[in-house]
Amino acid sequence: MSKTKGITISLLFLLLMVSAPLALAENNGLMFDVHTKPLVGSTDSVVMVQVTEYLFPVTKDFNVSSLVVEDYNGTKPLEESVYIFYINSSGAYLLYAGDGNESPSAVYDDNLKTWYFGFDFGESNLLLKAFLRSMGYNVNWSELKNPYLAFNGSCLWNVSKRGVKGRNWSITAEAVRNGGSFLANFTVSYVDPAHGASWADYSWRIPAGEITKLLENLTSISVASQRLINCTKGKMGEDYCFPIDNPEAVYVYPADLKIVMFPEKGRMRYVVVHERGNGKPEVISDSINPLRKPEYVIFRYDLRNNTTLVFPLLQFRFPSSEMNGSVGTFTIPPCREESHRAHGSANNLIVALVGVGIGLAIGVLLGRRRR
């Protein structure tokens, strides 16, 4: 490196230190503790990523291992942020970014193919009001103490909490790398009225190529699936359940990451640590001034077509995390009242037509018997 380039890099580093004195003091470093929870629908998903930011002193006896296992003195939590994304085959869209105490909950209804986002902001509901206003949706504020927003993939409407009956069938398992692929095996238990307690075994082999391009040396991943057991109601109200033979897709991601950044010899050192299901941390990336800053991604692997979609969600830069530029804005229009009525009317019309058809068929049969 030339002397001029070295001076330029040093000046840039000093400018960064001046812009954020707390996080970028010469003897301080940052750690981002990243946890993920995906809720998987039939063809889409809602992913919550929780990021906790820690400040720590870089002393002579500092080592990354002690920091990761929380056995290092002087570590201080700075901020906790929650990001919630809606993901489908077209991309990732931001639903919420802010304090975890105000983040919405998400529920998916398998039968209606509808997401429900629940808000509980107390009496004021300031963020929810702003959210609804940005959607152009006009509601009575006095009714928004415990509201839910329903989303069917095309439009958004407000519903009462009593009307929400969704269930989340997201199932998460660890897949361990074996050569050029990750192998996931797990069992789902269910109750079939005809056979009693039953279970279904699932095994997926997920190619490691795309995943290891972004996260090298990853030896295990988490796998979140859509519902794997299909249940229908019997005449007496009992559930008849059976396994789904051919799921469409699964989401794969590193469940727990710790991204450590600290100054070393006048440059920045980045260490990415992954915590496996057994709680054992492993370093998957360790470099000084990498060309590509650490980022957080989730993958959608199509089990039928053997294809992978990559969704970069967050980037981590000293001194903070930020949204990846590929994440879109969730701008779904509100549903028109008549569309709901039309939907209900269509269902009623179908039921009526089926009833008429059955009636005509019975009439024809009776007429033939009389002849």
Side-chain angles (χ1 to χ4, degrees):
M1 178 186 293
S2 67
K3 185 175 181 180
T4 304
K5 288 184 178 179
I7 293 172
T8 303
I9 292 174
S10 299
L11 287 173
L12 287 173
F13 185 72
L14 287 172
L15 286 172
L16 286 173
M17 288 172 58
V18 171
S19 64
L22 177 62
L24 289 173
E26 188 175 355
N27 61 342
N28 281 340
L30 286 175
M31 181 178 73
F32 299 97
D33 193 3
V34 185
H35 298 273
T36 308
K37 181 182 179 182
L39 307 175
V40 184
S42 56
T43 58
D44 50 11
S45 177
V46 170
V47 179
M48 182 181 73
V49 183
Q50 179 182 345
V51 180
T52 307
E53 183 179 335
Y54 294 91
L55 178 72
F56 61 88
V58 181
T59 60
K60 292 182 179 179
D61 59 347
F62 168 74
N63 65 80
V64 176
S65 300
S66 296
L67 175 65
V68 169
V69 297
E70 300 177 355
D71 186 24
Y72 182 72
N73 294 327
T75 304
K76 298 179 181 179
L78 291 180
E79 186 179 6
E80 181 179 297
S81 302
V82 171
Y83 301 88
I84 300 181
F85 303 92
Y86 170 71
I87 295 177
N88 58 23
S89 58
S90 64
Y93 304 90
L94 180 65
L95 288 176
Y96 173 86
D99 191 333
N101 295 327
E102 296 183 342
S103 60
S105 60
V107 178
Y108 183 73
D109 190 300
D110 295 305
N111 296 322
L112 299 178
K113 309 299 182 192
T114 299
W115 289 97
Y116 296 93
F117 303 113
F119 298 82
D120 187 5
F121 299 163
E123 294 293 329
S124 61
N125 290 309
L126 296 177
L127 187 56
L128 176 60
K129 291 180 182 180
F131 179 64
L132 288 172
R133 195 178 291 114
S134 68
M135 296 288 106
Y137 193 69
N138 205 2
V139 296
N140 185 352
W141 303 130
S142 63
E143 298 176 357
L144 291 179
K145 291 184 178 180
N146 289 294
Y148 274 80
L149 294 177
F151 173 58
N152 61 5
S154 60
C155 61
L156 197 70
W157 70 96
N158 178 248
V159 294
S160 67
K161 190 172 184 179
R162 289 173 295 179
V164 177
K165 298 180 180 179
R167 290 184 292 177
N168 171 34
W169 285 87
S170 178
I171 302 170
T172 303
E174 185 181 45
V176 179
R177 185 171 180 179
N178 183 8
S181 62
F182 291 94
L183 184 62
N185 293 297
F186 61 96
T187 301
V188 182
S189 301
Y190 63 99
V191 176
D192 188 329
H195 303 95
S198 301
W199 60 88
D201 294 317
Y202 291 89
S203 177
W204 296 315
R205 191 174 295 276
I206 302 167
E210 286 290 331
I211 298 170
T212 53
K213 282 181 184 178
L214 295 173
L215 288 171
E216 298 177 0
N217 305 320
L218 198 67
T219 59
S220 69
I221 55 175
S222 292
V223 180
S225 172
Q226 66 200 83
R227 66 170 183 169
L228 301 175
I229 304 298
N230 186 24
C231 294
T232 56
K233 290 289 184 183
K235 293 181 179 179
M236 304 300 294
E238 72 277 21
D239 285 331
Y240 283 90
C241 301
F242 52 89
I244 293 175
D245 294 330
N246 190 13
E248 182 177 344
V250 294
Y251 287 86
V252 298
Y253 59 96
D256 300 305
L257 288 181
K258 288 180 170 59
I259 301 170
V260 184
M261 304 178 179
F262 57 96
E264 184 178 274
K265 299 178 181 178
R267 294 188 292 178
M268 290 304 303
R269 183 176 173 185
Y270 299 79
V271 182
V272 182
V273 180
H274 177 226
E275 186 174 318
R276 296 184 55 180
N278 57 12
K280 182 180 179 181
E282 56 183 353
V283 176
I284 60 175
S285 180
D286 186 352
S287 60
I288 295 179
N289 285 342
L291 295 176
R292 185 185 69 243
K293 300 295 187 292
E295 60 181 350
Y296 190 78
V297 300
I298 190 168
F299 303 82
R300 184 180 188 271
Y301 178 63
D302 193 313
L303 295 166
R304 299 175 182 178
N305 300 320
N306 194 30
T307 56
T308 304
L309 285 176
V310 182
F311 302 102
L313 301 180
L314 298 171
Q315 290 181 325
F316 297 91
R317 303 179 185 275
F318 214 78
S320 63
S321 61
E322 63 184 29
M323 201 75 59
N324 192 285
S326 63
V327 176
T329 304
F330 188 75
T331 54
I332 303 299
C335 298
R336 294 181 178 180
E337 191 66 30
E338 36 289 8
S339 67
H340 289 290
R341 293 175 182 171
H343 181 70
S345 300
N347 289 338
N348 294 334
L349 179 60
I350 292 172
V351 172
L353 289 174
V354 170
V356 171
I358 293 174
L360 289 173
I362 293 174
V364 170
L365 288 174
L366 290 175
R368 287 180 178 176
R369 285 184 180 180
R370 288 175 181 174
R371 292 176 185 176

